[in-house]
Amino acid sequence: MQNIKQIIATIVLAFTIILYSCSDFMDVIPSTSYTEQMVFTDAALTQAFVNDLYNNIHPGAQEHSLDGLTDDAYFTHNYGQKDIVEAASISQTNLQWYDNGNNPFRWVNRYRGIRYANIVINNIDNVPEKVGFNLNRMKGEAYYMRAHMYHELVRGFGGVPIVTEDFSLDQVEEIQKPRNTMRECLEFIVTDLEKAEEYLPETVGSGEWGRVTKFVATGLKARILLHVASPLYADRTVNILTVNQFDGDRMAAYRAAREAAIKVIEQGPFELIDCRGGINTERAEKFKAIMTDVQNSEQMFVRNYHTSIGAANNMGLWHGPNGYHNWAGTTPTQDLVMAFEFEDGTMPEGMTKPGEFQKGNPYNGREPRFYATVATDGNTWGRPRPADAATLDPTPLGRLQAGKYEVTNGDVEIEYRDGVKRRSMWGVDTRQGPIEDWNGSWTGYYEKKLIDTSVDAQYFRQTVPHVYMRLAEMYLIAAEASIELNELEEAAKWLDALRARIELKDTRSTLTVRGKAFNQADMREFLRQQRRAEFAYEQHRYFDVRRWMIAPEAGNKPLTGIVVEGILKPGKTSMKPYIHNEEIYDYYYYVNDLSSRETRKWMDKMYFAPIHQDEIRRNPNLVQNPGMD
Amino acid sequence: MNETLTVNEMKITLKQQYSSKFLMLLFFVLCTASLLAQKRVRGTVSDVNGEPLIGVNVVVKNATTIGTVTDISGNYSLEVPGENSILVFSYIGYISAEVTVGAQTVINQILTEEAHLIDELVVVGYGVQKKVTVTGAVASVSGNELKVSPTTNLSNAMVGRMPGVIGYQRSDEPGGGGTTIHIRGTNSLGFKDPLIVVDGVPGRAGGMNRINPNDIESMSVLKDAAAAIYGSRAANGVILITTKRGKEGKPTITYTGNMGFSQPARIPELANAFEYATMVNEIDKYSGRDPRYSEEDLRLWKDGSDPWGHPDTDWYRETIKDVSPMYRHDVSITGGSDRYKFFVSLAANGEDGIYKNSANRYDQYSTRVNLDMKVNDYMDISYGNVNRLQVTNYPARGATDIFSAMVRSKPILPAYWPSGEPGPDIEYGDNPVVRATPATGKDLHKAYYIQNTLRATLKIPGVEGLSLIGTASYDQHFNNRRRFETPFTLYTWDGNPEHKLTPSLKGVAQPVLEERRDEQTDWMTNLVASYDRSFGMHNFGMTLGVEAQSNEWRRVRATRKYFISDALDEINNGSVTDMETEGYSWKESRINYFGRVNYNYLEKYLLEFVYRYDGSYRFPKDKRYGFFPGVSAAWRASEEDFWKENLGFINYFKLRGSVSQTGSDYLLDTDGNLDRSIQYLNTYGFGTEYMFGTTFQKTLYPTRTPNPNITWEVGTTYDLGFEFKFLDNRLSLETDLFYHKRTNMLIYRNASLPQISGITLPRENIGEMENRGIEGLISWTDRAGKVEYDISFNMTYAKDKLLFWDETPGIPDYQKRTGKRVDTELWYIADGVFNTQEELDSYPHWPNARTGDIKFVDINEDGKIDANDRVRSNKNHRPPFVCGITTGLRWNNFDLRALFQGAAGGITYIWRERAGEAGNYYKFMYENRWTEENPMVEHPRVYNRENEYWAKQGTDQKNTYYQFKTDYLRLKNMEIGYTFNFPAVRNAGIQDLRLYVNGTNIFTIDNVKVQDPEANDTGREYPQRRIWNAGVSITF
């Protein structure tokens, strides 16, 4: 009996001890996170938070980037981009790609990033100093990032609500902010960037390459000032919503933009890459390297990538040829091909309308940027074919087969444009090819500029950075602002500098060979062509066609591509495998109508992106962009 | 604690009876030569209908060596020691009877069937109750019934057997493929799963899916106030699983062996090569291109005369084998004395995937040891131990991708070339005939479970009815994964006449190995004081308890790439370049206090109160505890005199009702996995590391705006139950009306909060919903001549409705979630197709619509079709009505059991992603398609990928053309057995020998046709399987 009482007592005691000894038993802090208080009392953690801001700006061209929405490119896989270029169905209830994570001005993502930046800015002054950490730099980074995110929003939507606070859950009414005007947004962004300039260092070590610096802030200031000074925001005929109208001094904005751009050029640590030397295609390689080098003096602000860890850069997979098991995402249009001048400064002609054709290579003698940007039939891609394509293309570095070719032992009989049927084969990089034909290019071209073609992209990522900003942009900002300020000599100076590095003729003589005058109108047209050629696929064209208000022309162009036919010269024979050879083949290039893929149509509502209907419903103070309701 | 023992004692099992019968027979034979008899009695044993019972054991109590069995006419004759002898009559399925011999020489005995056993017990939370005195809604099923389904997954065997238990089985992949069980439908927007309690331990790792069905004594489902004793985690109901324990007596060994074969119950029919090519030519036509395939091509695909250039491949048939084997072996040993009892079981089971040369396979090995010791008159100690190893091999690419590849792969491409080499992939190396095999590597999962339960029960001396029960469990769970993905070779042919194929490596450039180790350590302790006592006609019971539980989980993972060979999958053999490691953990802890008080008067008026005072680590200190009470009452009206006098034909009637509150603290992430984040803390988590220069730097981001007010979801349940038994208990009926209201539901407020706040929302206690319905069980047990049979029908109808949801302000009423069922979607209403240009012009349509496109109804009549024309359906993929029919019959030595299962009111969306240029179509799309030559009223033209507005998948673009009703009725299981009980068998030392065959998913009646009506992800899921199985059960 005594024994049993002891047992009872022991059990009861044991349980009491178990339960009471852990009065904090349920205070669990997740082992993979820090409390906010920790983050803002340890500068190392604050820095980690600031690092995340870089994750919250959109890393430029991705699988479906902005280019497929312009006259530069066609996006093969649709993913909601078709509706946008066809315009009619886009509205606040059908956002398509506008509500997609690849959209750099996606509302919900950018405002989340803005909140993070706000938290840093609102708390960083209380963070104690810690050896090895630079709180000023963090502060400058936060201001820069906030400005960067607003600049993306403003370029996409027009005036947007400016939020600087970190709201709590119960501040529902305070959150319902109206849209600020373009001027207010511009002033806010410029103020943030000036603070960033104040706090950011002029340079960072190569181990910190990819961090923003003082001159990056200055560069972004130049970009946004130029943007807001542009015709769209001065317009009052199609830009009818007050918040989207800039009511400030446009010329002052142009001047400020030019001043900032010149400051970056003259005082910043960046230098244009010298691409001179060799023939056009050799210079093209040097020009392409500006984008694809892991680090060089022209890159101002980039995002770096690793072969296997972290965020991925799969540009090769996304946009490369199907004959490499790639997806041919953003493919160049015939219109873009026609936007690159010849080495002598003249513009190509005649190959713009469906049915127009040329016998013999129409791509010879172009300026270097063309070869750096567009891969055409017969071009060397840059690496051997994968095994299942190697028998079809045994060349050591792969030569694009984007056409149909007469081969003596061809498997199929194909009718050519001349009406003759010939034993033939389809190129391995076509939509009739044997490899993943649904991923072939419709336009007959492949994008090359941002792709590291030495990577086996079906398996591996590339380490090529995404370039957010490079020095050439500052030259063209300075030039454009000067043209708008009607200071044409000044403009020509900056244009010439940029053209000289790829050995193109100066502005005056180029205008002359094109039969143009050295006046504001012709200079404006020239600058716009230069900007298109220089920055193709660098996410500028979407904004340029809008701010210049050339969209009604650019957005109404019928979609066209190229059809390449290789016909054996009389008396010649050729057996598979096919290799591009102008000795034995006559090549014919036909402009191809692709309007059955996309019936492109511009509507003025497309100047400004739609805000989601639900966001308008949530916030009664928010007005929708015109035509989007 | 003795709860399980008591159950066992009450439910005398087959084995014991056979065992005693066998001994009896043996003894009888031996002893007839030397009779010492003082008195002979004889008589006939019959059932209540007067039918003689054959083979009834008749023994003398306390002298079990004296006994006999009844003959073919039910007669027996026995020498008994004297007039004080007591005869015990026992028979399988019948209540034993005892008769004192006295002066009688003829004793005729009538036995009543056990199915009506009035003292049947059910396991409830922290205790056992007599079924007649239960005041709550509790359903139960015995382990024996569950065994009928030859599945490796217990949840698959449960469905259709109990009212209120609703199951949805989406897929059936060996190693995965469990059924989602919801008690009485959907009770929350968030976590919907019931709490699983195994041998008294709530929420044990591994749940119930992999428990050996042969180890299960019983399963109870608590649906109303009965669940409230589990308070905070009981809002979705509770399933209690009790395993078998040792029985007093000579050790008996039972072996059960099963061998089965499985095949997919249903796979979609796809277009063949000719049909596919015809459709692709049509998309070319619609996009203004010349058809890519010539008439000659079509002819060759149709007549099959060119296997190299124009193959016609059925990718399912090439990838899936006709039958796949499965097996199960169980051995259990049980026995013991009055002081020590044991139950030991060993089991091995396995199944092969349905692929040819399958890389998918599941094997499981488990042991269970349950020991009970009587230390002295006051103290009992029991110990239970489970060891289980679950080995699953998956192909390096998951089932979703493999099945997706079977549907996508073009029928015009060969799975194998005529020369035998595997053909090309659709993309990413996805040729499913190779992807499903070990050629592409392996993904080996080994899950170990080690679970220990120790329990001491102490009767407090001097206080009658008071006992203390202490339980402690300590479980460990390891999950190891080794995924080795290797390159493999596929062959392409460039058309050369020599048929020389080009090999190329696919999948990955070089082998990649990932090793992952997870470990989980859980412990639980509780102490329960219980007091049960009768004072005259008043019966009183009280249970008080305290419980603490802790779970800790940790993972490390390492990956290396660039292996120079695929021969050895050892992490060190990979390159250090790009190697990766990862590790993280979580912890949960809970403390709670609970109790039950019950009272009844003559077991006629019954009253019960249960509660739990629960604490959860998920909530801030001041909101951490919640109080969850439940009250229930019952009236056994049939015990009243007036009833017996006037309503005697109703043998049993009980009216019961309850009201209770339960809670839920679970959170789900957007993928539906458990989210263990602490929402009241303002925490920063690590984000994607960012590369500056060439090195990565850590990033931190605020995981959410904290919610300092977060607290429990509260479920309030009302239940009204009726239980009837008619016609001498042969017909019984049980029905419950229920209403569950969930308040404080933890949901995001993202629909109304403007996104410019940038806030990442926490969960807030803002949602409200209700779920109401009826469930019932009706069963009939009888015999007709020599055939004994039973049939029972159970059903549940549960309709949930959202009462408060964070609606976006100003959305049209027909799009609101409020007032609709949970998890509904917006649909464009399809109204046939546009057949003529005039039709198209005269009705609002999508921009760029053409003839052959689906017509969407302009719901808001604003003259345009846009997102505002979508209507919220009040249906989802979870059917509100489910039912089951179980039936059994016995005739001589034959027995048969069957389970039908059905559902109604659910819908699914069946659509082919990437069909056209990048994938095949379903055959029904070929057979029902609009063409200019053959316009259809209802069916659209052929589409390519997602290019048409009416052929998109995303949640915002669905239309009702692709909506299918999933009502179905299926013969889920059927088993036919034969028991050998001839003397010859017994003489061989075998007490019991039974052979049986059974089948699963034997047939299904439904209107979906394309895929299984329970599947929900079109063409990408591992299908449910049809299984044929034969087995033997032998007891020594």
Side-chain angles (χ1 to χ4, degrees), chain B residues 960-1012:
Chain B
T960 54
Y961 174 73
Y962 297 103
Q963 189 185 86
F964 285 69
K965 289 196 170 87
T966 59
D967 306 350
Y968 69 91
L969 178 69
R970 63 170 30 138
L971 177 53
K972 188 75 184 170
N973 292 114
M974 185 153 90
E975 177 169 299
I976 299 168
Y978 185 84
T979 303
F980 295 84
N981 57 356
F982 316 123
V985 173
R986 303 201 178 161
N987 290 342
I990 295 168
Q991 293 181 31
D992 185 19
L993 170 63
R994 181 167 173 268
L995 295 179
Y996 54 91
V997 290
N998 57 31
T1000 298
N1001 288 331
I1002 296 166
F1003 65 81
T1004 304
I1005 303 165
D1006 68 306
N1007 272 321
V1008 178
K1009 309 288 186 211
V1010 185
Q1011 63 187 29
D1012 191 275

Side-chain angles (χ1 to χ4, degrees), chain B residues 276-285 292-293 916-917 921:
Chain B
Y276 170 76
T278 305
M279 290 166 90
V280 171
N281 277 352
E282 283 171 26
I283 43 176
D284 284 336
K285 195 170 93 184
R292 70 190 70 188
Y293 303 120
E917 291 181 332
Y921 297 92

